[in-house]
Amino acid sequence: MKLNKNGWGTTEMIMISIILLLALIVSIFFISRLYGSFDNSNSNKIYNDLEIKLADASRKYVRDYNIEVVDNYRISYELLRENGYIGELKDADNNSCNGYALITKLNNKKYYHGYITCNNYTSKDY
């Protein structure tokens, strides 16, 4: 690289552009590994929404029936559906899913977690 008063040359500009492009490609690779595949992000959101829907229905069920949770309490999806607390659980392909809600009591605080199983997905720790 020769220094003169004319500024950068074409060679220097191409080299800097290549370095920036490589840095962009590497960062895209690591971001996609961190957050999962771009194609699966929408379907994982659907499954996550179903789990939240199941947890919310169990919260209403426990509140309405004044259920005392000692350590853990498990409510099936079928029970919630029969009592009208939740509708059908269907994935993006319109396949039916099944599951349960687990209520855990720690330090006088209740935690609600939904677990589902579908054709192409099963919640962690199901």
Side-chain angles (χ1 to χ4, degrees), residues 1-2 11-12 23-24 30 34 40 46 49-50 62 69 71 80 84 90 93-94 97 101 108 118 121 123:
M1 185 162 47
K2 189 173 16 172
T11 308
E12 290 85 4
L24 179 65
F30 283 113
L34 178 66
N40 292 335
I46 291 170
D49 289 344
L50 292 176
V62 167
V69 177
D71 287 325
L80 293 171
K90 295 205 174 216
D93 297 328
N94 210 23
C97 300
N108 286 335
C118 301
Y121 177 83
S123 299

Side-chain angles (χ1 to χ4, degrees), residues 27-91:
S27 64
I28 287 172
F29 171 74
F30 283 113
I31 289 171
S32 69
R33 285 194 64 194
L34 178 66
Y35 291 108
S37 174
F38 293 117
D39 296 332
N40 292 335
S41 64
N42 189 29
S43 63
N44 285 340
K45 183 183 180 324
I46 291 170
Y47 296 125
N48 190 31
D49 289 344
L50 292 176
E51 292 169 349
I52 291 170
K53 190 176 174 182
L54 195 58
D56 289 341
S58 68
R59 181 178 287 117
K60 292 175 189 173
Y61 181 83
V62 167
R63 183 189 65 220
D64 289 349
Y65 286 96
N66 288 329
I67 296 173
E68 185 63 34
V69 177
V70 178
D71 287 325
N72 292 323
Y73 190 77
R74 184 175 167 163
I75 303 172
S76 69
Y77 161 67
E78 291 85 14
L79 180 67
L80 293 171
R81 185 167 178 215
E82 287 171 4
N83 288 304
Y85 286 92
I86 195 168
E88 284 191 80
L89 292 178
K90 295 205 174 216
D91 62 5

Side-chain angles (χ1 to χ4, degrees), residues 77-122:
Y77 161 67
E78 291 85 14
L79 180 67
L80 293 171
R81 185 167 178 215
E82 287 171 4
N83 288 304
Y85 286 92
I86 195 168
E88 284 191 80
L89 292 178
K90 295 205 174 216
D91 62 5
D93 297 328
N94 210 23
N95 297 320
S96 293
C97 300
N98 199 355
Y100 65 92
L102 184 66
I103 300 98
T104 306
K105 187 174 183 180
L106 293 172
N107 300 327
N108 286 335
K109 184 164 174 69
K110 295 176 189 167
Y111 297 94
Y112 298 84
H113 300 282
Y115 298 95
I116 62 169
T117 181
C118 301
N119 287 346
N120 300 322
Y121 177 83
T122 300

